[in-house]
Amino acid sequence: MITISIKEAALLRGCSAQHLQKQALAGQINAVTEQTKNGRKKYMIPLTELTEAEQIRYYSDHGMELPKELRKVKTKPAAARSTDLESYSADQREEINIWSEILREWDDFCIGKPSKVQATKEFAALVAERYPDIKISSDVLYRKKRALKEHGVCGLIDLRGGHNKGSSVIPDITWQAFLYYYLDEGQPPISKCLESTEQWLEEIGRTDCLPLPSANTFYRHTKTDIAETLKILGREGQKAFYDRCSPFIRRELLGMESNEWWVGDTHTLDIRSDNGEIIHRLYLVAFMDVRSGIFVGWHLTDHPSSQATLIAIRKSIINHGIARNILVDNGREFLTKDVGGLGHRQKKSTKDEFAPPPVFERLGIKMTNAIPKNAQAKVIERRFKDIKDGLSRLFDTFTGGNVVEKPERLKLVEAGKKGTIPTDTDLIKIVDELIEYKFNYEIYGGSVTEDKGKMKIDVYRENLKTKRVAEENELNLMLMRSSRKYKVGQRGVHNTVAGQQIDYWNDEFVDKYLGKEVYFRWDPENLSYIRVYDLEDRFLMTVPTDNEAVLAYGASTEDIKNAMGKTRSLNKKVREKLKVIKSLHGAKTALEMALRKANANKNIQLVNENAVIQLHRPEEKVFKSAVGDTEPNRFSLDRVIENLERKNDE
């Protein structure tokens, strides 16, 4: 019996000696124990424990004759050869054409030659110069002619090496275990997946599947045997699969009118600009017409917000009319209670609470929200890519979308050593100019074939069938922001803008609606007044901001005198009303009247009555007329001080 060392067996098997040592200790491979000269235990592997291929390699390496049981003639199975030309690739069909031409020329070349053998050698040399990438000799020519006779033109294709195409040296259980570890969102490298696979196979006792094929073998199979969709879903997750692999609903634009659908989004400009204090990046809030691809309105801001959205939609409406539908994402700048509504952000606990009609609803625009994190729905992002490539890259302060794209010159530009940094004002002017007269005048490249070659602005105008417009004063009213529900207090109601509390009240407002619940609409560009509505959305009155009864500490005596007069005004008016009511001569007190009534009832004879008593309450709505100041004062004061009443008492 031939025995070999573990180290030599590992070389034949192509694995580590530690792996075989571990198998020998566990009894998973029959090993013979021997002692070294130092008295240590040494394992020897019987040659018969190796596979036939490994045994043959051993005999070959040592120049020994193979035993009878290993003398097997191993022939490769013939590759299946189809007679259907369409089953072959374009390169293989080209190979057929080349060899057919070579064989025809070979026959013509040999005609009239005294020796066909010599003529064949000469012809092979000539053809080799013409086709340096093809191995051509006399033997190859004869073999190709024989293949042509046996298999027709399809015999001219070289199928060597294709007998085992599609087969795998990886056992199925090993491959499935590898896939389990490989298709993980942690995206482990192949080497770590193989470690886990090997350990699992050892634990379940499948040592017959060990050692594993090389990492290169698994790498090739990950490229050829794993569908790309499965790989993306397993290693990158559901969102990546949805964005890159999932079939999507194609939006049919043919038949769609301009202004039928707008899509809005916010884009961070990859340009750094100077606002006079810091160098920063501006945000572009824009709306795009889906049918034509033009930008209908936009606004640049240093802070994306619902107010920036309203400014952009206002510009869109002034320039192009009112859209029927708007598709936006789920950002806070769109899903705000008084702009587009809360959408999916609406909590169940507040679902039934009062909410005034949002701006989009007042404009008659139906807002649709894209599925969260859905790249397929945001068609405007493709236009933002055009903004990046066709506008942002023109500036010296182009930042790139990530650190890889960031130009090296940016540090020098910001340090003032190279290029120029645009101001916010200059940047806004340039962006407005390029969007209006460059990007909107580009050639249409959408899905409607009949519009290809036209300018986008022309496509918009040709498909604008109906343009919904609004008068400026009505548009201003519809674009007003709305407050939440308020209960009118002693100082009316208040609005908080940029951390500043602004009070709105006057004597008439507090007198009529103290303690009642209302809401109001306000114009962010004019904070001098609000329009107050009841909870059934009926206009009540216009209320100005208070610009006198708000004082800072250390105010002058004159300022305090005027403020005190303001606070006493309502008290005086209400006292006068009360005095008029109490001026009825000869009236008795309520107690005297009650005692009189009780004495009168003592002598009343009661009648038995069995009628069913039904409570009836009339439904009555009182419509409040629109009253109030026509020219409210503009807001120009600071915070309210709390010691006014104490001053009044003094």
Side-chain angles (χ1 to χ4, degrees):
M1 181 178 65
I2 301 175
T3 59
I4 59 177
S5 67
I6 285 182
K7 184 176 181 180
E8 189 175 4
L11 290 174
L12 292 172
R13 179 158 288 187
C15 64
S16 66
Q18 291 82 355
H19 176 71
L20 286 183
Q21 180 85 12
K22 188 177 180 181
Q23 286 188 321
L25 290 172
Q28 297 173 352
I29 185 171
N30 295 324
V32 179
T33 305
E34 295 182 358
Q35 278 191 341
T36 65
K37 295 179 180 180
N38 298 329
R40 295 182 179 180
K41 185 183 294 185
K42 181 177 71 171
Y43 289 101
M44 300 295 289
I45 307 294
L47 190 60
T48 54
E49 288 295 309
L50 304 182
T51 64
E52 291 183 352
E54 292 165 352
Q55 294 180 50
I56 292 172
R57 192 178 307 127
Y58 174 83
Y59 284 108
S60 176
D61 292 345
H62 290 77
M64 301 168 61
E65 184 179 356
L66 287 175
K68 291 182 180 180
E69 60 270 17
L70 295 178
R71 296 174 187 172
K72 298 177 181 179
V73 179
K74 298 184 178 181
T75 58
K76 294 181 179 180
R81 190 180 295 274
S82 172
T83 58
D84 184 8
L85 286 176
E86 291 185 352
S87 64
Y88 297 104
S89 66
D91 291 339
Q92 289 175 323
R93 291 195 295 270
E94 180 65 20
E95 184 181 359
I96 291 175
N97 295 333
I98 292 175
W99 277 109
S100 296
E101 182 66 18
I102 291 174
L103 294 179
R104 185 187 62 78
E105 292 180 358
W106 177 32
D107 290 337
D108 295 340
F109 186 83
C110 292
I111 295 176
K113 296 293 173 59
S115 172
K116 187 174 182 181
V117 175
Q118 184 62 31
T120 300
K121 290 181 180 180
E122 294 175 2
F123 178 77
L126 293 173
V127 175
E129 294 180 1
R130 193 195 314 171
Y131 300 103
D133 296 334
I134 300 178
K135 184 179 180 181
I136 298 178
S137 65
S138 298
D139 291 341
V140 172
L141 290 171
Y142 283 112
R143 188 169 63 247
K144 288 293 184 182
K145 179 168 283 191
R146 186 167 56 252
L148 179 63
K149 291 180 180 179
E150 293 177 359
H151 304 289
V153 293
C154 294
L156 299 176
I157 302 174
D158 187 1
L159 296 180
R160 288 178 298 175
H163 68 282
N164 61 347
K165 186 176 182 180
S167 63
S168 174
V169 297
I170 306 176
D172 184 64
I173 187 172
T174 303
W175 180 244
Q176 294 302 321
F178 172 79
L179 289 180
Y180 176 83
Y181 298 109
Y182 180 74
L183 298 176
D184 184 87
E185 291 187 22
Q187 300 185 17
I190 291 178
S191 60
K192 297 301 179 183
C193 296
L194 292 179
E195 289 181 9
S196 301
T197 302
E198 182 177 359
Q199 180 179 344
W200 180 77
L201 290 172
E202 290 177 352
E203 290 178 356
I204 67 172
R206 290 301 302 268
T207 56
D208 56 309
C209 298
L210 299 174
L212 298 176
S214 67
N216 288 336
T217 300
F218 281 90
Y219 176 78
R220 289 195 302 270
H221 282 275
T222 59
K223 296 296 183 183
T224 59
D225 296 351
I226 305 178
E228 191 67 16
T229 52
L230 179 62
K231 189 184 299 183
I232 291 175
L233 179 61
R235 290 178 66 84
E236 300 183 41
Q238 183 68 46
K239 182 184 182 303
F241 174 83
Y242 184 85
D243 291 344
R244 293 159 54 189
C245 308
S246 177
F248 59 90
I249 300 174
R250 184 173 62 88
R251 299 181 184 273
E252 182 59 62
L253 301 184
L254 186 63
M256 180 187 292
E257 297 181 9
S258 299
N259 286 2
E260 187 173 344
W261 278 94
W262 288 354
V263 57
D265 204 356
T266 301
H267 168 67
T268 305
L269 285 179
D270 294 329
I271 309 168
R272 294 181 69 81
S273 58
D274 189 357
N275 66 354
E277 298 179 359
I278 60 172
I279 299 175
H280 62 158
R281 294 164 71 180
L282 294 177
Y283 299 86
L284 175 67
V285 183
F287 287 89
M288 184 192 82
D289 177 62
V290 175
R291 176 63 180 85
S292 61
I294 70 166
F295 288 101
V296 291
W298 57 91
H299 175 63
L300 273 77
T301 177
D302 57 358
H303 180 67
S305 63
S306 55
Q307 185 55 37
T309 300
L310 287 181
I311 294 174
I313 197 68
R314 179 187 179 87
K315 291 181 178 179
S316 303
I317 292 173
I318 291 175
N319 294 333
H320 299 282
I322 305 174
R324 297 190 185 95
N325 303 276
I326 284 182
L327 175 67
V328 293
D329 62 16
N330 297 270
R332 286 290 187 183
E333 62 267 35
F334 302 110
L335 288 184
T336 303
K337 183 179 294 186
D338 65 329
V339 176
L342 293 180
H344 74 92
R345 295 183 184 274
Q346 179 73 58
K347 297 180 180 179
K348 292 183 179 180
S349 59
T350 60
K351 187 176 181 180
D352 297 328
E353 290 185 359
F354 167 78
V359 171
F360 285 173
E361 182 179 325
R362 294 201 296 264
L363 290 169
I365 299 174
K366 180 182 178 182
M367 184 185 73
T368 301
N369 295 104
I371 299 174
K373 299 182 180 180
N374 177 18
Q376 295 174 354
K378 299 179 181 179
V379 294
I380 194 173
E381 289 188 353
R382 303 170 199 167
R383 297 290 283 142
F384 286 155
K385 179 67 165 54
D386 296 338
I387 293 288
K388 174 181 177 179
D389 294 337
L391 188 153
S392 299
R393 294 182 185 274
L394 303 179
F395 288 82
D396 294 333
T397 54
F398 172 69
T399 64
N402 50 55
V403 293
V404 178
E405 293 182 342
K406 185 177 180 180
E408 293 183 6
R409 72 183 181 207
L410 187 59
K411 290 184 178 179
L412 297 175
V413 174
E414 293 182 347
K417 298 179 180 179
K418 183 179 181 180
T420 57
I421 302 175
T423 64
D424 283 1
T425 303
D426 291 339
L427 179 60
I428 291 172
K429 183 178 180 180
I430 293 173
V431 170
D432 288 345
E433 188 82 5
L434 291 181
I435 291 180
E436 180 71 32
Y437 297 106
K438 180 180 181 293
F439 291 100
N440 283 355
Y441 280 72
E442 289 177 342
I443 301 301
Y444 176 81
S447 61
V448 181
T449 305
E450 62 187 36
D451 289 336
K452 291 186 182 297
K454 301 177 182 178
M455 289 191 302
K456 292 179 180 178
I457 190 67
D458 288 335
V459 174
Y460 173 82
R461 291 171 178 170
E462 290 176 5
N463 292 277
L464 183 61
K465 308 301 181 183
T466 304
K467 184 177 181 180
R468 297 196 303 151
V469 297
E471 296 291 340
E472 184 175 358
N473 58 340
E474 295 177 348
L475 181 60
N476 292 340
L477 180 61
M478 288 186 287
L479 287 173
M480 277 186 163
R481 304 292 302 271
S482 298
S483 73
R484 60 180 176 84
K485 178 175 63 176
Y486 278 95
K487 180 178 288 188
V488 179
Q490 291 174 274
R491 288 189 56 82
V493 294
H494 71 270
N495 190 17
T496 302
V497 180
Q500 174 70 37
Q501 179 174 308
I502 307 172
D503 294 326
Y504 294 91
W505 69 283
N506 58 19
D507 294 343
E508 184 179 9
F509 178 49
V510 176
D511 183 27
K512 286 187 175 182
Y513 302 109
L514 180 66
K516 295 183 180 180
E517 292 183 331
V518 298
Y519 85 92
F520 58 85
R521 298 178 188 172
W522 53 283
D523 184 355
E525 297 183 355
N526 184 4
L527 301 177
S528 63
Y529 71 97
I530 58 173
R531 293 173 60 87
V532 183
Y533 295 78
D534 65 15
L535 299 191
E536 295 182 6
D537 204 32
R538 295 180 297 191
F539 174 69
L540 301 179
M541 63 186 301
T542 298
V543 180
T545 184
D546 170 31
N547 62 349
E548 290 184 358
V550 182
L551 295 177
Y553 287 99
S556 66
T557 304
E558 186 66 24
D559 292 337
I560 295 176
K561 181 179 179 180
N562 293 334
M564 296 304 299
K566 179 80 173 180
T567 59
R568 292 168 179 164
S569 174
L570 176 62
N571 184 274
K572 181 179 179 181
K573 291 181 180 179
V574 176
R575 284 203 310 268
E576 289 177 352
K577 288 183 180 179
L578 182 60
K579 184 177 180 181
V580 171
I581 295 173
K582 294 292 187 178
S583 62
L584 184 62
H585 296 287
K588 304 294 183 180
T589 65
L591 177 60
E592 292 175 335
M593 298 300 296
L595 290 174
R596 286 189 181 188
K597 184 65 175 176
N599 290 326
N601 290 341
K602 290 180 180 179
N603 300 320
I604 295 178
Q605 186 70 32
L606 299 179
V607 179
N608 292 331
E609 188 172 348
N610 296 320
V612 177
I613 299 175
Q614 183 179 31
L615 181 63
H616 176 70
R617 292 176 177 173
E619 296 181 0
E620 181 178 4
K621 294 183 180 180
V622 179
F623 186 81
K624 304 294 183 180
S625 59
V627 295
D629 297 340
T630 58
E631 293 184 0
N633 298 324
R634 297 193 63 84
F635 176 73
S636 62
L637 298 176
D638 298 318
R639 308 286 301 246
V640 178
I641 61 174
E642 298 178 355
N643 62 345
L644 290 178
E645 293 185 359
R646 184 169 64 254
K647 191 70 177 179
N648 186 30
D649 294 336
E650 294 175 359

